[in-house]
Short mmCIF file of all heavy atoms in Angstrom, two decimals:
data_model
loop_
_atom_site.label_atom_id
_atom_site.label_comp_id
_atom_site.label_asym_id
_atom_site.label_seq_id
_atom_site.Cartn_x
_atom_site.Cartn_y
_atom_site.Cartn_z
N LEU A 1788 290.89 -138.97 194.56
CA LEU A 1788 290.85 -138.39 193.22
C LEU A 1788 291.76 -139.15 192.26
O LEU A 1788 291.40 -139.36 191.09
CB LEU A 1788 291.27 -136.92 193.27
CG LEU A 1788 290.32 -135.97 194.01
CD1 LEU A 1788 290.91 -134.56 194.06
CD2 LEU A 1788 288.95 -135.94 193.34
N VAL A 1789 292.92 -139.58 192.75
CA VAL A 1789 293.83 -140.34 191.89
C VAL A 1789 293.23 -141.69 191.53
O VAL A 1789 293.23 -142.09 190.35
CB VAL A 1789 295.20 -140.51 192.59
CG1 VAL A 1789 296.07 -141.50 191.82
CG2 VAL A 1789 295.91 -139.18 192.72
N LEU A 1790 292.72 -142.40 192.51
CA LEU A 1790 292.17 -143.73 192.27
C LEU A 1790 290.95 -143.67 191.36
O LEU A 1790 290.72 -144.59 190.57
CB LEU A 1790 291.80 -144.40 193.59
CG LEU A 1790 293.00 -144.80 194.48
CD1 LEU A 1790 292.50 -145.30 195.83
CD2 LEU A 1790 293.84 -145.87 193.79
N GLU A 1791 290.19 -142.59 191.45
CA GLU A 1791 289.00 -142.44 190.60
C GLU A 1791 289.31 -141.74 189.29
O GLU A 1791 288.40 -141.48 188.49
CB GLU A 1791 287.92 -141.66 191.38
CG GLU A 1791 287.40 -142.41 192.59
CD GLU A 1791 286.42 -141.60 193.42
OE1 GLU A 1791 286.14 -140.43 193.03
OE2 GLU A 1791 285.92 -142.10 194.44
N GLU A 1792 290.60 -141.43 189.06
CA GLU A 1792 291.07 -140.80 187.83
C GLU A 1792 290.35 -139.48 187.55
O GLU A 1792 290.06 -139.13 186.40
CB GLU A 1792 290.92 -141.75 186.63
CG GLU A 1792 291.77 -142.99 186.74
CD GLU A 1792 291.76 -143.82 185.47
OE1 GLU A 1792 291.16 -143.37 184.47
OE2 GLU A 1792 292.35 -144.91 185.46
N ARG A 1793 290.09 -138.73 188.60
CA ARG A 1793 289.48 -137.40 188.45
C ARG A 1793 290.62 -136.38 188.34
O ARG A 1793 290.94 -135.65 189.26
CB ARG A 1793 288.57 -137.13 189.64
CG ARG A 1793 287.33 -138.04 189.62
CD ARG A 1793 286.72 -138.27 190.99
NE ARG A 1793 286.22 -137.03 191.59
CZ ARG A 1793 285.68 -136.99 192.82
NH1 ARG A 1793 285.61 -138.11 193.54
NH2 ARG A 1793 285.24 -135.85 193.32
N ILE A 1794 291.25 -136.38 187.17
CA ILE A 1794 292.50 -135.68 186.97
C ILE A 1794 292.32 -134.16 187.06
O ILE A 1794 293.14 -133.46 187.66
CB ILE A 1794 293.12 -136.06 185.61
CG1 ILE A 1794 293.26 -137.58 185.51
CG2 ILE A 1794 294.46 -135.38 185.42
CD1 ILE A 1794 294.06 -138.21 186.62
N GLU A 1795 291.24 -133.64 186.48
CA GLU A 1795 291.04 -132.19 186.50
C GLU A 1795 290.87 -131.67 187.92
O GLU A 1795 291.42 -130.62 188.27
CB GLU A 1795 289.82 -131.82 185.64
CG GLU A 1795 290.04 -132.04 184.15
CD GLU A 1795 288.85 -131.60 183.33
OE1 GLU A 1795 287.88 -131.10 183.94
OE2 GLU A 1795 288.88 -131.75 182.10
N GLU A 1796 290.15 -132.42 188.75
CA GLU A 1796 289.96 -131.99 190.13
C GLU A 1796 291.28 -132.07 190.90
O GLU A 1796 291.59 -131.21 191.73
CB GLU A 1796 288.91 -132.86 190.82
CG GLU A 1796 287.50 -132.67 190.26
CD GLU A 1796 286.50 -133.57 190.94
OE1 GLU A 1796 286.36 -133.48 192.18
OE2 GLU A 1796 285.87 -134.39 190.24
N MET A 1797 292.06 -133.11 190.60
CA MET A 1797 293.35 -133.26 191.27
C MET A 1797 294.29 -132.12 190.88
O MET A 1797 295.01 -131.57 191.72
CB MET A 1797 293.96 -134.62 190.90
CG MET A 1797 295.29 -134.90 191.58
SD MET A 1797 295.12 -134.99 193.38
CE MET A 1797 296.84 -134.82 193.87
N THR A 1798 294.28 -131.76 189.61
CA THR A 1798 295.12 -130.66 189.14
C THR A 1798 294.76 -129.36 189.84
O THR A 1798 295.62 -128.59 190.25
CB THR A 1798 294.99 -130.50 187.62
OG1 THR A 1798 295.40 -131.71 186.98
CG2 THR A 1798 295.84 -129.36 187.11
N GLU A 1799 293.47 -129.13 189.99
CA GLU A 1799 293.02 -127.91 190.68
C GLU A 1799 293.47 -127.91 192.13
O GLU A 1799 293.84 -126.87 192.68
CB GLU A 1799 291.50 -127.80 190.58
CG GLU A 1799 290.92 -126.51 191.14
CD GLU A 1799 291.42 -125.28 190.39
OE1 GLU A 1799 291.82 -125.40 189.22
OE2 GLU A 1799 291.44 -124.19 191.00
N LEU A 1800 293.45 -129.09 192.75
CA LEU A 1800 293.90 -129.20 194.14
C LEU A 1800 295.38 -128.83 194.25
O LEU A 1800 295.80 -128.16 195.20
CB LEU A 1800 293.67 -130.63 194.64
CG LEU A 1800 293.87 -130.90 196.13
CD1 LEU A 1800 292.89 -130.10 196.97
CD2 LEU A 1800 293.73 -132.39 196.42
N LEU A 1801 296.16 -129.22 193.27
CA LEU A 1801 297.59 -128.91 193.28
C LEU A 1801 297.85 -127.42 193.01
O LEU A 1801 298.85 -126.87 193.45
CB LEU A 1801 298.32 -129.75 192.24
CG LEU A 1801 298.29 -131.26 192.46
CD1 LEU A 1801 298.93 -131.99 191.30
CD2 LEU A 1801 299.00 -131.63 193.77
N ARG A 1802 296.95 -126.79 192.31
CA ARG A 1802 297.11 -125.37 192.02
C ARG A 1802 296.85 -124.51 193.26
O ARG A 1802 297.51 -123.49 193.46
CB ARG A 1802 296.12 -124.94 190.92
CG ARG A 1802 296.42 -125.50 189.54
CD ARG A 1802 295.30 -125.11 188.60
NE ARG A 1802 295.41 -125.72 187.29
CZ ARG A 1802 295.97 -125.14 186.24
NH1 ARG A 1802 296.46 -123.92 186.35
NH2 ARG A 1802 296.03 -125.75 185.08
N ILE A 1803 295.89 -124.92 194.08
CA ILE A 1803 295.45 -124.05 195.18
C ILE A 1803 295.87 -124.58 196.54
O ILE A 1803 295.47 -124.04 197.55
CB ILE A 1803 293.92 -123.90 195.16
CG1 ILE A 1803 293.23 -125.25 195.41
CG2 ILE A 1803 293.45 -123.30 193.84
CD1 ILE A 1803 291.73 -125.15 195.54
N GLY A 1804 296.70 -125.62 196.56
CA GLY A 1804 297.06 -126.26 197.82
C GLY A 1804 297.94 -125.40 198.70
O GLY A 1804 298.12 -124.20 198.49
N ALA A 1805 298.55 -126.04 199.67
CA ALA A 1805 299.38 -125.33 200.66
C ALA A 1805 300.57 -124.65 199.98
O ALA A 1805 300.98 -125.00 198.88
CB ALA A 1805 299.89 -126.35 201.69
#
Side-chain angles (χ1 to χ4, degrees):
L1788 293 176
V1789 170
L1790 290 173
E1791 295 176 0
E1792 297 188 4
R1793 291 155 63 182
I1794 306 304
E1795 291 183 1
E1796 293 178 59
M1797 182 63 197
T1798 300
E1799 186 62 24
L1800 189 63
L1801 297 175
R1802 291 174 186 266
I1803 64 174

